[in-house]
């Protein structure tokens, strides 16, 4: 059986660190925690789980701290988590089974990252990451912000998920990192333009976000999946600015970068036509969103709501407006499967029962 080093970087994580370590400490053979300047009880909490707690002066770049944490690993494989991540019970079992059966010739194991949960326990966003990597391969972290492991070789995909349970959000922190890069005259990769656009969008700088997304889309280099989502996210910015025509154009442009439409684009196109009270076309796009099958080998962002409860809820509304109450009721019932106590859907159910 292979051995595993858990490597983490932390700063002021006293509220969540124990929760994280409780979910994984019994599965790994070593815990390495690199602290970048905590002023709360984080270090004391870490020392309850391991004596391998190290200090590293923050450089302003996450890759430096993550690479430092990997230097302290001594086991066969390195597993990384953030302090506000956990392994749920089912994933703990899967991790144990993987560890017991993993072929030592594997260089990396990708796992899902459940980046958010709604109030009903539904995953709001997930994507794959190289999560368990062979130490002897000396893989390095790249990127100043939204960094990634540069991995090559024998990579396998697992169905294990690390779940993000963040209690707060550092608004503007990542944006400032990119703005420092600009101030310093650093060059931007296509990936930088995509993630800088995301930070601008999240902080309400929609026009600048559009500019950054467009630079990503127009560059010959870069991952097609980033370009696809740059089109979709740019469309959101156009909608927030009231530019509905460019919103629609950007959504259709996303089709350039995938062999089939994505539910995230189809549901937005449906909403575009719904807002114009063109319910027939809206129904077409919402139904298409529910019919697109998920590819488990996909690495890029997936937002499950756009293929599940959301289009079903909007189909309920659209069918109601064309007086097809039976179909309206049926889609509301499907939406309720994902959000059984949602007040909007319960109201719809009560209303529609009068007509069927």
């Amino acid at each position: 059986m292979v051995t595993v080093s858990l490597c983490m970087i932390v700063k002021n994580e006293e509220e969540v660190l124990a929760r994280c370590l409780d979910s994984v400490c019994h599965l790994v053979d070593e815990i390495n925690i690199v602290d970048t300047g905590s002023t709360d009880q984080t270090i004391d909490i870490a020392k309850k789980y391991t004596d391998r707690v190290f200090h590293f002066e923050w450089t302003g770049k996450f890759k430096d701290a993550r690479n430092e944490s990997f230097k302290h690993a001594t086991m066969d494989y390195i597993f990384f988590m953030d302090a506000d991540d956990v392994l749920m019970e089912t994933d703990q079992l899967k991790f144990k089974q993987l560890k017991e059966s993993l072929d030592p010739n594997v260089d990396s194991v990708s796992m899902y990252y459940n980046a958010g949960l709604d109030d009903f326990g539904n995953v709001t966003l997930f994507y794959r990451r190289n999560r368990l990597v062979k130490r002897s391969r000396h893989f390095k972290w790249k990127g100043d912000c939204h960094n990634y492991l540069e991995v090559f070789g024998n990579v396998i995909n697992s169905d294990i998920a690390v779940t993000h349970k963040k209690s707060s959000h550092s608004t503007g922190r990542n944006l400032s990192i990119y703005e420092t890069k600009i101030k310093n005259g650093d060059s931007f990769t296509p990936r930088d333009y995509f993630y800088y656009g995301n930070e601008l969008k999240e902080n309400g700088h929609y026009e600048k976000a559009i500019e950054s997304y467009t630079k990503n889309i127009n560059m010959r280099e870069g991952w097609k999946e980033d370009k696809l989502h740059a089109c979709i996210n740019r469309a959101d910015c156009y909608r927030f600015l009231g530019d509905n025509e460019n919103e629609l154009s950007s959504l259709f442009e996303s089709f350039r970068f995938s062999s089939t439409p994505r539910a995230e684009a189809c549901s937005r196109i449906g909403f575009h036509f719904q807002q114009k009270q063109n319910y027939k076309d809206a129904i077409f796009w919402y139904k298409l969103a529910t019919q697109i099958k998920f590819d488990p080998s996909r690495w890029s962002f997936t937002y499950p709501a756009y293929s599940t409860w959301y289009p079903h809820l909007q189909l309920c509304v659209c069918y109601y407006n064309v007086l097809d109450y039976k179909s309206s009721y049926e889609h509301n019932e499907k939406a309720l499967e994902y959000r059984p106590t949602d007040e909007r859907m319960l109201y719809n159910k009560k209303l529609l029962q009068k007509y069927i």
Side-chain angles (χ1 to χ4, degrees):
M1 183 170 65
V2 301
T3 57
V4 177
S5 296
L6 172 66
C7 292
M8 300 178 63
I9 61 171
V10 298
K11 181 179 179 180
N12 292 337
E13 302 287 3
E14 64 180 7
E15 293 184 3
V16 294
L17 181 57
R19 181 185 65 186
C20 171
L21 293 173
D22 284 341
S23 76
V24 71
C25 63
H26 56 292
L27 300 171
V28 298
D29 303 282
E30 175 184 87
I31 297 175
N32 301 290
I33 297 180
V34 169
D35 186 85
T36 62
S38 292
T39 56
D40 62 2
Q41 299 301 308
T42 294
I43 294 175
D44 292 335
I45 294 170
K47 287 181 176 179
K48 293 179 180 178
Y49 295 85
T50 180
D51 59 358
R52 298 179 62 81
V53 179
F54 308 94
H55 301 273
F56 181 73
E57 185 174 350
W58 177 245
T59 65
K61 297 179 180 180
F62 283 98
K63 68 178 180 181
D64 294 342
R66 292 196 187 279
N67 284 326
E68 175 67 18
S69 72
F70 275 30
K71 291 178 182 178
H72 296 287
T74 66
M75 300 297 163
D76 300 328
Y77 284 83
I78 300 173
F79 180 64
F80 75 91
M81 296 176 72
D82 290 330
D84 45 11
D85 295 335
V86 297
L87 279 175
M88 307 295 278
E89 287 188 13
T90 55
D91 295 302
Q92 292 177 30
L93 177 61
K94 291 178 183 178
F95 189 99
K96 181 175 182 295
Q97 293 170 342
L98 172 70
K99 185 179 174 184
E100 292 170 349
S101 62
L102 185 62
D103 182 344
N105 291 316
V106 170
D107 294 311
S108 175
V109 180
S110 81
M111 301 179 187
Y112 292 120
Y113 189 42
N114 292 338
L117 301 173
D118 67 15
D119 293 339
F120 301 88
N122 300 306
V123 176
T124 56
L125 165 64
F126 68 88
Y127 49 93
R128 285 194 173 277
R129 302 186 76 175
N130 286 297
R131 181 65 72 168
L132 182 72
V133 295
K134 197 169 186 177
R135 180 177 62 86
S136 62
R137 298 290 273 164
H138 302 293
F139 296 130
K140 298 296 183 182
W141 286 92
K142 302 289 185 177
D144 299 332
C145 186
H146 294 288
N147 38 73
Y148 62 96
L149 265 173
E150 190 173 62
V151 168
F152 44 86
N154 184 11
V155 179
I156 64 172
N157 296 335
S158 76
D159 63 349
I160 302 169
V162 174
T163 298
H164 185 66
K165 286 191 170 184
K166 196 167 184 64
S167 57
S168 61
H169 183 65
S170 300
T171 303
R173 180 192 63 185
N174 292 339
L175 183 60
S176 67
I177 293 175
Y178 283 115
E179 290 176 343
T180 298
K181 282 174 65 69
I182 294 172
K183 183 179 180 181
N184 293 339
D186 297 342
S187 60
F188 269 43
T189 65
R191 190 176 190 274
D192 285 328
Y193 281 120
F194 173 64
Y195 281 99
Y196 181 43
N198 289 346
E199 295 298 333
L200 289 165
K201 173 176 174 279
E202 184 174 345
N203 286 275
H205 305 301
Y206 302 125
E207 293 178 348
K208 288 185 177 181
I210 289 169
E211 180 181 346
S212 192
Y213 286 135
T214 301
K215 287 180 179 178
N216 168 276
I217 294 163
N218 290 340
M219 294 177 76
R220 180 174 297 180
E221 304 83 6
W223 191 28
K224 283 189 174 182
E225 291 288 334
D226 282 350
K227 296 180 185 296
L228 181 151
H229 284 283
C231 291
I232 293 173
N233 294 349
R234 184 179 64 177
D236 286 345
C237 294
Y238 279 126
R239 185 176 72 253
F240 296 147
L241 293 171
D243 189 347
N244 294 329
E245 294 310 311
N246 273 321
E247 173 204 7
L248 189 61
S249 295
S250 193
L251 290 169
F252 281 125
E253 188 173 3
S254 72
F255 296 174
R256 289 174 49 201
F257 303 107
S258 64
S259 56
T260 57
R262 297 290 171 83
E264 291 85 354
C266 292
S267 281
R268 285 170 167 85
I269 295 171
F271 183 74
H272 173 90
F273 288 114
Q274 182 183 352
Q275 291 295 97
K276 292 186 173 184
Q277 299 184 355
N278 187 342
Y279 298 115
K280 180 179 178 181
D281 287 345
I283 287 169
F284 171 86
W285 288 103
Y286 282 134
K287 288 184 70 174
L288 181 58
T290 68
Q291 294 164 358
I292 295 172
K293 293 183 178 180
F294 169 67
D295 179 1
S297 65
R298 183 184 303 157
W299 279 69
S300 69
F301 295 156
T302 296
Y303 297 84
Y306 288 103
S307 62
T308 57
W309 67 266
Y310 176 76
H312 283 300
L313 176 60
Q314 299 306 327
L315 282 165
C316 167
V317 175
C318 291
Y319 276 118
Y320 180 83
N321 279 284
V322 298
L323 308 182
D324 184 346
Y325 301 122
K326 182 175 182 296
S327 295
S328 178
Y329 182 85
E330 289 173 351
H331 283 286
N332 191 67
E333 287 293 291
K334 290 179 180 178
L336 276 167
E337 292 176 8
Y338 299 93
R339 299 168 67 93
T341 59
D342 189 304
E343 293 183 0
R344 297 168 298 173
M345 300 171 192
L346 292 174
Y347 174 83
N348 293 343
K349 181 182 180 76
K350 184 177 181 180
L351 173 67
L352 290 163
Q353 283 174 335
K354 299 177 183 178
Y355 295 96
I356 59 174

